[in-house]
Amino acid sequence: MDVGTGIRVVRGPDWGRGNEDGGEGYLGTVVAGGRVDGAEDGRHDVATVQWDVGGERHVYRCGAGGKYDLRVIDSAPAGVVHSHLECSGCGSQTIAGCVWRCVHCLRYYLCTPCYMKDRHSVWHHFTRMDSPENPRQRTRVRCRYLSGRVGARGVFVGARVVRGRDWRWSDQDGGAGREGTVVDVCGWQSESSRSVAVVEWRESALKRKYRLGHKGKVDLQSTVAAEGGHCYLDHLPLLGFLSDNSPFRIRIQTFNLLYLCW
């Protein structure tokens, strides 16, 4: 598996590519990392992303020239998991993806879905932990009450989809161009979380699982996107360079701000 593949992303602060992602808040999946001329050995400073809507693939800067076109909305499909922590919101025994720790409450942790659904007090500050390999490396973010948010859209429950670039499932869908509807997004056994979509095909009413980031493969593309709640864009880590010694490496974004709700 290419390093960092499977990470789900949205446009970042240096975005300048119009609406080729579908629009602000639309999701895509990292399918490959790469280097530009002059990059250090072992360092990935560009990434190829397949966007949910339309299935187009393009290359974006993830540190090249000091620019960051993407933010990480979910690293769970890449297999990132904090197995020693329990989500205080949904009660999950492990937390896949980033961990959000309340600064004000003792041992209060949230998974990304719970954090984005405004579980716990939106007035409280949180720190974000990106990697289980560096538990002491944390980034503090503003309280959600004073932060802007946007709707997340893409391959969520209710989206209409057709086969995509990595499709290798014969005519389970009824044939090329036939539509189905996403009825669930879940994990692939214990290997990754939120990395496959369950689709019910219109022609046959069959329900099957398809890759949505699992091992960097995307079997589907959306013809009609669905809403997947909202996200606080400024709270998400920048997708930095991908390294060979970890599932992914995220450049830590430091906030030199006075928090208005301290």
Side-chain angles (χ1 to χ4, degrees):
M1 181 179 78
D2 288 337
V3 176
T5 56
I7 296 171
R8 300 279 279 160
V9 295
V10 292
R11 63 172 63 174
D14 295 316
W15 182 266
R17 306 284 289 271
N19 284 332
E20 71 181 19
D21 57 347
E24 187 176 42
Y26 280 71
L27 273 65
T29 303
V30 176
V31 295
R35 295 189 298 171
V36 296
D37 292 342
E40 299 175 4
D41 288 344
R43 174 178 173 176
H44 295 249
D45 54 11
V46 294
T48 301
V49 173
Q50 177 173 322
W51 296 107
D52 286 9
V53 177
E56 292 189 6
R57 292 186 178 184
H58 299 283
V59 177
Y60 300 94
R61 300 166 298 180
C62 303
K67 299 295 184 180
Y68 297 87
D69 294 325
L70 304 167
R71 292 185 184 272
V72 177
I73 192 170
D74 196 4
S75 57
V80 176
V81 61
H82 300 254
S83 58
H84 62 294
L85 295 177
E86 178 180 334
C87 178
S88 303
C90 63
S92 175
Q93 297 298 304
T94 60
I95 296 181
C98 292
V99 174
W100 306 83
R101 178 182 178 273
C102 181
V103 173
H104 306 277
C105 301
L106 182 65
R107 296 178 182 175
Y108 195 96
Y109 305 95
L110 292 177
C111 63
T112 294
C114 285
Y115 183 81
M116 297 303 173
K117 290 176 183 175
D118 291 339
R119 296 285 180 89
H120 198 50
S121 173
V122 294
W123 282 98
H124 285 192
H125 286 96
F126 277 75
T127 58
R128 189 192 68 241
M129 294 184 287
D130 300 324
S131 171
E133 295 159 0
N134 298 294
R136 296 183 181 275
Q137 195 172 57
R138 303 174 182 177
T139 301
R140 184 163 175 164
V141 296
R142 297 200 308 169
C143 67
R144 289 169 289 178
Y145 185 81
L146 296 179
S147 300
R149 64 186 189 181
V150 300
R153 296 183 63 84
V155 179
F156 295 104
V157 173
R160 284 155 51 185
V161 295
V162 295
R163 63 171 66 176
R165 294 198 183 197
D166 294 325
W167 181 269
R168 61 178 182 87
W169 311 107
S170 187
D171 285 335
Q172 285 184 1
D173 55 352
R178 303 288 185 172
E179 281 192 335
T181 301
V182 176
V183 296
D184 191 19
V185 175
C186 55
W188 184 262
Q189 300 176 354
S190 61
E191 296 180 30
S192 57
S193 300
R194 299 187 288 276
S195 58
V196 297
V198 180
V199 177
E200 181 176 356
W201 296 108
R202 181 179 300 174
E203 295 293 321
S204 63
L206 289 175
K207 293 182 182 179
R208 293 288 188 272
K209 289 183 177 181
Y210 301 96
R211 296 168 295 180
L212 184 63
H214 179 66
K215 293 190 175 181
K217 300 298 183 181
V218 184
D219 292 322
L220 306 167
Q221 64 187 53
S222 176
T223 55
V224 179
E227 295 182 0
H230 62 259
C231 63
Y232 295 94
L233 289 181
D234 290 343
H235 294 204
L236 300 175
L238 301 176
L239 180 66
F241 60 88
L242 308 176
S243 65
D244 292 330
N245 56 9
S246 63
F248 70 96
R249 185 170 178 179
I250 292 177
R251 183 179 178 88
I252 298 300
Q253 182 182 26
T254 303
F255 293 89
N256 295 317
L257 299 172
L258 292 175
Y259 297 116
L260 299 180
C261 57
W262 178 262

